[in-house]
Amino acid sequence: MHDKQDTQQRFTHVLTATGFPVSITYLYPPMHYTGRQVPTTVAAISEPLVIPEVKQFDAFIITGAPIEQLPFDQVTYIDEIHHLIDELVKQRIPQLYICWGAMVAANYLYGIKKHLLPEKLFGVYPNQVLDDRGLLNGLPNGFLAPHARYAELDYRQVVDAPDLILESTTVGNHLFSFRARHRQQNFLFAHLEYGRDALIKEYRREKNAYPDREYAKPQHYFADPVHMQDPQFKWQLAQKLYFRNWLQSVAQNVTDEQLIKE
């Protein structure tokens, strides 16, 4: 994520709003800063990832990152991410992968290929429920969610993968979510953690970085799309239910693991 502090505030909000008691630790990959000093802003709000220590966590989220246009092998800290995923699987820790995090994990674990989209998928779209036995429990068919990405995983590979269950897509078959059949792994491609103003912030950030470029404007988002005013928070229900369902599944996993140990 570009704005790490804003991202952390979003996740803290959506996780605590579920009503579950949560203790959240934010981590950064040290390999990302090899040969340079960790920015003070990053060091102030997060801790360095120490892979052997992840076994202390009840669950783990790997978030998105603004690098989905890069091939995986060009990501400087890809080996660290792979080692982290290996440890999460080894320790049987529930995993939630979001956007780029979902892309890199599904590629590493299940060989699902990534490709660039012709243009950025950017806006609020209805999503069809294909399987509601997981984290989509309680969500109505056609629920709304914000999508914001330049890349996508191979839809046909996901459908054909025997170890994956496709849960939801947009009407145009862009991925919303799928899950692993035999592991507690969830892959989310929409940014359900986004708050009301997140899409317009993302557009302005990109536009300010390269003012001479044309950028896609978020679709189906503004009450006044002509003037890009009055963003609508149409995914609030989906946000609440999805993260509540995830934390409920984490709590159940903790109970199950304790019973196994006893």
Side-chain angles (χ1 to χ4, degrees):
M1 299 295 187
H2 283 281
D3 189 332
K4 294 176 176 58
Q5 187 171 24
D6 193 33
T7 298
Q8 289 189 12
Q9 290 173 349
R10 291 173 190 163
F11 276 102
T12 297
H13 171 72
V14 298
L15 293 174
T16 56
T18 61
F20 284 88
V22 293
S23 175
I24 306 170
T25 301
Y26 291 101
L27 305 170
Y28 67 84
M31 281 185 65
H32 183 45
Y33 301 103
T34 300
R36 60 191 175 109
Q37 186 174 359
V38 178
T40 55
T41 53
V42 173
I45 62 175
S46 53
E47 302 175 9
L49 170 66
V50 180
I51 291 177
E53 295 181 1
V54 302
K55 61 184 178 182
Q56 68 182 295
F57 298 114
D58 292 329
F60 208 97
I61 297 174
I62 296 183
T63 69
I67 53 175
E68 70 261 33
Q69 297 179 79
L70 280 178
F72 292 125
D73 61 6
Q74 291 184 20
V75 177
T76 58
Y77 52 97
I78 193 67
D79 288 342
E80 189 170 26
I81 295 297
H82 288 168
H83 293 156
L84 169 60
I85 293 171
D86 287 339
E87 187 67 16
L88 294 172
V89 172
K90 176 184 176 182
Q91 300 295 338
R92 301 199 305 182
I93 295 171
Q95 304 137 54
L96 174 57
Y97 300 106
I98 298 177
C99 200
W100 181 82
M103 296 180 194
V104 69
N107 175 263
Y108 180 60
L109 292 166
Y110 301 103
I112 309 298
K113 295 180 180 179
K114 177 181 68 131
H115 63 268
L116 296 181
L117 293 168
E119 59 182 8
K120 184 178 184 179
L121 179 65
F122 195 34
V124 182
Y125 300 93
N127 300 270
Q128 52 191 343
V129 176
L130 306 176
D131 189 302
D132 65 355
R133 291 170 294 174
L135 302 188
L136 303 191
N137 183 33
L139 283 173
N141 197 37
F143 69 90
L144 298 172
H147 293 255
R149 60 184 182 275
Y150 287 95
E152 182 77 303
L153 291 185
D154 188 299
Y155 172 84
R156 179 45 53 186
Q157 276 192 296
V158 174
V159 172
D160 292 342
D163 293 324
L164 298 176
I165 299 173
L166 182 62
E167 296 177 318
S168 178
T169 67
T170 67
V171 174
N173 282 340
H174 288 108
L175 296 170
F176 173 83
S177 71
F178 56 82
R179 70 180 185 273
R181 190 178 298 274
H182 304 297
R183 296 172 175 169
Q184 199 160 346
Q185 296 168 336
N186 290 277
F187 303 81
L188 174 65
F189 295 86
H191 282 285
L192 280 183
E193 82 280 5
Y194 275 11
R196 180 190 302 274
D197 297 329
L199 292 176
I200 185 60
K201 285 182 179 179
E202 183 167 329
Y203 172 79
R204 289 170 179 165
R205 182 180 61 245
E206 291 186 330
K207 193 67 176 171
N208 289 337
Y210 300 98
D212 295 333
R213 296 183 185 178
E214 288 296 324
Y215 284 96
K217 299 177 181 178
Q219 302 297 303
H220 319 297
Y221 175 51
F222 300 104
D224 181 358
V226 174
H227 300 97
M228 294 179 64
Q229 293 180 349
D230 194 12
Q232 304 294 292
F233 193 9
K234 300 176 182 179
W235 59 95
Q236 191 170 16
L237 172 64
Q239 178 186 93
K240 179 179 180 180
L241 288 177
Y242 188 90
F243 286 103
R244 187 172 68 188
N245 287 341
W246 183 63
L247 286 179
Q248 177 65 57
S249 71
V250 170
Q252 184 61 54
N253 184 76
V254 170
T255 300
D256 292 345
E257 289 294 312
Q258 289 175 343
L259 290 174
I260 291 173
K261 292 176 182 178
E262 292 175 359

